[in-house]
Amino acid sequence: MHVAFFAASRPHYRMAAAIARLAEAHGAWHSLLIHALPPSVLSSLPVQATPRTLRTEPAEDALRSLLRTERPDALLVFGGGEAALAAGRAAVAEQVPLLHLEAGQRPAEAALRASHEFLDREALLRCCLDARQARTLEEEGIAEGVCVVGDALYDLFQEACSGLDPDAALARHQLTGAAFALASLDGLWLAAAPEERQAALRQLAEWGRLTDMRILLLSDMPSLPAPVPGVQRLPALPPLETLSLLCACRCLLTHSDSLLREAFYAGKRALVPASARPGQLALPLECGWHKPAPLHDPATLAELTAALAEPCPHPGLPEGSGRAVRRMTAAVMATLADRADGLL
C-alpha cells in the first residue's frame, strides 16, 4: 500500500513523519511525505530517514500533477488552511481517497471555516482531537468515519522532553530565564503592509519595555522590516531549540495553534491575539490558562502579562492524550483495509 501525507506547516510535517515511521515499522504501508515548506524551514527539522519526501508548491494544479504521477492509495491531510484545502481539492479531483487528520474544527474566520467543512465533508476518515469536535461533525450530519484519537502533537512533545535543555538554549541566545517572551505572528502579518508590520514591531518593543522583557520574535518571513530595539528576530529553529526556549520564557504571544498547544503541555501560559483564536484546543482559553489579548495595545498586553503570573490551576490534558500517533495509524489502516474489501 502506498499512502501520501500532505503537510504545509512544521508541526504537521513532524506529525506526518511520526505516523509514517510507525506504519513502516509495522510494514503497514510505504509512505510519501508531500510538503510545502521552504528550504529554510525544512532544514531546521530532524532528518527523516524512512519516508520518501517530495516538495511541491501549495497550489491545486501542482498537487494534482503530483498525485497523478504518484497514484497513492490515499492522501492524509492535516488541519484546514489554504494549502490543506488545495490538497483536499486535488485529491477529490484525482479520485484519491482523502483522510482528514485534526478534523471537526470550526474557526470563526469564514474562509478557514469553509476549508475545514470541505475537508470534513469529502473525507473517508475524520480524526478528531477530542469529543467536542466529533460532536460538531455529528451535529452537521457527519457520523461515519469519525474517531477521537487525541493530539499527536502531545506525543511529539512527550518524545522531545528528554532532549530539552533550556539552560543551554538560554546561553546560546544570551538570555536570562523568565526575562523574555516569545512571539510568533507570521500568519497575522502575511497580508499586512510593510508599514503595518513595522508598527507592530514597535508595539511589541513597547510591550517589552513596559514589562521589562526582551521579545524574541520567531519568524520565517523573508520580508519582515528591520528590527527595532528590544525585539530580536530568530530564524527557523529546530523543534528542540524552540521548545527549550518555550520552557524558559516568561510567556508566549502567538496565534499559532500548534505553539499554543505546546505551551499548554509545557505548563506555559500565553496571550492570544483576539483576532485569531485557536481552532484545535479551546480548553486553555476557556479556563483562563491562555488569555485573549488586543495585539495593538501594549499597555493592555502588559496588564495581561502580569495577570499570567497569577496562580491558575492547570485544567489537565485533553481527553485521549498520549498514543494519538498509534490511534491515528490504526484508524488509517482500518479505513484503508475496509476500502480494499469494498466496505467503503
Side-chain angles (χ1 to χ4, degrees):
M1 198 159 2
H2 182 207
V3 175
F5 299 78
F6 177 74
S9 71
R10 185 185 288 107
H12 288 156
Y13 184 95
R14 290 166 55 209
M15 285 187 264
I19 296 170
R21 285 196 304 269
L22 180 60
E24 298 202 357
H26 287 279
W29 67 68
H30 295 294
S31 301
L32 169 64
L33 268 63
I34 304 170
H35 68 90
L37 301 176
S40 60
V41 171
L42 189 66
S43 64
S44 71
L45 294 170
V47 175
Q48 308 295 346
T50 304
R52 191 162 62 95
T53 304
L54 290 177
R55 185 178 186 277
T56 185
E57 295 300 318
E60 185 176 340
D61 288 346
L63 288 160
R64 286 189 65 175
S65 176
L66 195 153
L67 291 177
R68 279 196 299 272
T69 301
E70 296 292 332
R71 297 311 306 172
D73 294 297
L75 178 67
L76 280 69
V77 175
F78 292 83
E82 184 178 343
L85 176 61
R89 285 177 170 166
V92 171
E94 296 300 323
Q95 298 183 334
V96 173
L98 173 66
L99 311 182
H100 190 203
L101 309 185
E102 300 187 331
Q105 299 182 63
R106 293 297 179 263
E109 198 269 311
L112 190 55
R113 184 185 183 94
S115 171
H116 280 274
E117 289 174 341
F118 173 86
L119 292 167
D120 284 336
R121 187 172 61 250
E122 298 294 335
L124 282 179
L125 172 68
R126 306 154 184 95
C127 290
C128 302
L129 181 146
D130 58 28
R132 177 192 311 218
Q133 293 164 357
R135 286 194 298 271
T136 296
L137 296 175
E138 184 178 2
E139 290 166 0
E140 295 176 359
I142 301 174
E144 298 294 326
V146 177
C147 60
V148 176
V149 295
D151 188 2
L153 195 58
Y154 178 70
D155 293 16
L156 297 179
F157 176 79
Q158 284 186 308
E159 185 180 292
C161 280
S162 61
L164 299 183
D165 193 342
D167 290 338
L170 289 173
R172 276 190 292 272
H173 297 282
Q174 300 180 328
L175 295 166
T176 302
F180 69 97
L182 288 180
S184 177
L185 300 162
D186 280 2
L188 296 181
W189 290 354
L190 281 174
E195 58 272 17
E196 292 175 316
R197 296 175 188 168
Q198 191 67 53
L201 287 176
R202 290 195 297 268
Q203 288 157 350
L204 288 180
E206 177 63 9
W207 171 47
R209 187 189 69 79
L210 292 172
T211 54
D212 194 26
M213 291 190 304
R214 190 167 163 189
I215 309 301
L216 263 62
L217 181 62
L218 304 174
S219 177
D220 299 323
M221 291 179 62
S223 58
L224 202 66
V228 297
V231 178
Q232 177 185 346
R233 179 181 177 183
L234 295 180
L237 297 174
L240 286 179
E241 185 80 353
T242 301
L243 286 174
S244 293
L245 289 173
L246 178 61
C247 290
C249 73
R250 187 186 305 178
C251 67
L252 176 71
L253 172 64
T254 187
H255 70 296
S256 166
D257 194 77
S258 58
L259 267 178
L260 288 168
R261 285 149 64 191
E262 288 176 317
F264 183 56
Y265 300 144
K268 288 290 177 176
R269 302 180 69 184
L271 301 177
V272 185
S275 59
R277 300 294 182 85
Q280 184 70 316
L281 190 59
L283 180 62
L285 266 176
E286 291 178 352
C287 73
W289 182 263
H290 297 333
K291 292 185 178 294
L295 185 58
H296 303 299
D297 185 349
T300 302
L301 284 176
E303 292 175 4
L304 289 168
T305 302
L308 290 182
E310 298 173 359
C312 178
H314 194 286
L317 299 174
E319 59 193 293
S321 295
R323 298 185 176 271
V325 169
R326 292 180 180 274
R327 292 191 186 99
M328 283 185 178
T329 306
V332 172
M333 290 170 60
T335 299
L336 294 181
D338 284 351
R339 187 173 187 275
D341 291 340
L343 302 177
L344 293 176

